[in-house]
Amino acid sequence: MPDPYEPLLRMYERGGGFYLQEYLDLNGVMIPLRNVESNASTTPFVTLSPATLDALDGEGESMYFAKISNGYPRHSPRGIVRRRVDDDQTHDEAFTRNLRWEPTEYLKLYDLGHNDIDHVQITEIEAATFIETLTEKLAGTS
């Protein structure tokens, strides 16, 4: 059985913290307080891979998007991009084959009508799954 405290220890090792009010606030990620049944039905965040957690870390608030098209559905997208807002500045970044976030103009160009590749907003868990899958694929461990 996995160590139940490992995720909490990882969070503290990475400089995280929390506040408990109407929500459990994990320094920006808000989790509503609910009953046991609704918490048990929530999709868990299962990765503790340092590479994936490093890729998800970023200053400010992030929204993630999956680039989809024929043959590339939401669960297996062409790629992912994120929009990060930090100190009232917006940063659009794509997760690349270099296994890091790099600046992209994709979202701005899409808004201007260059929309031959569509996208949908995804959760942080879905972004983590993509990052972990790509990392394993490029490392040859999948």
Side-chain angles (χ1 to χ4, degrees):
M1 187 117 138
D3 183 353
Y5 296 105
E6 183 65 21
L8 184 62
L9 293 172
R10 272 299 156 95
M11 181 182 72
Y12 284 132
E13 288 171 353
R14 299 176 70 80
F18 70 94
Y19 303 96
L20 186 60
Q21 294 173 353
E22 292 177 29
Y23 288 82
L24 174 59
D25 180 355
L26 300 173
N27 291 344
V29 176
M30 304 288 279
I31 301 170
L33 299 178
R34 297 184 242 168
N35 60 30
V36 173
E37 291 82 24
S38 63
N39 285 337
S41 67
T42 303
T43 304
F45 192 90
V46 296
T47 187
L48 292 177
S49 161
T52 303
L53 294 175
D54 287 346
L56 291 174
D57 281 348
E59 297 296 321
E61 298 207 16
S62 296
M63 293 186 311
Y64 298 91
F65 303 92
K67 294 169 70 175
I68 59 172
S69 62
N70 289 339
Y72 294 96
R74 177 187 184 123
H75 67 274
S76 182
R78 295 175 69 128
I80 61 171
V81 295
R82 74 177 176 187
R83 174 161 281 168
R84 202 168 42 83
V85 179
D86 182 34
D87 293 331
D88 296 326
Q89 291 186 340
T90 300
H91 307 275
D92 291 343
E93 303 163 320
F95 193 76
T96 68
R97 297 180 69 78
N98 296 327
L99 303 179
R100 65 176 177 252
W101 293 102
E102 297 180 3
T104 183
E105 296 291 317
Y106 168 80
L107 293 170
K108 291 176 187 168
L109 292 172
Y110 187 91
D111 289 342
L112 293 172
H114 301 276
N115 50 10
D116 50 325
I117 299 173
D118 206 3
H119 64 272
V120 293
Q121 188 167 353
I122 59 173
T123 66
E124 190 172 48
I125 292 171
E126 291 171 301
T129 300
F130 176 86
I131 291 167
E132 201 153 306
T133 301
L134 182 62
T135 301
E136 289 172 358
K137 180 180 173 183
L138 293 176
T141 59
S142 63

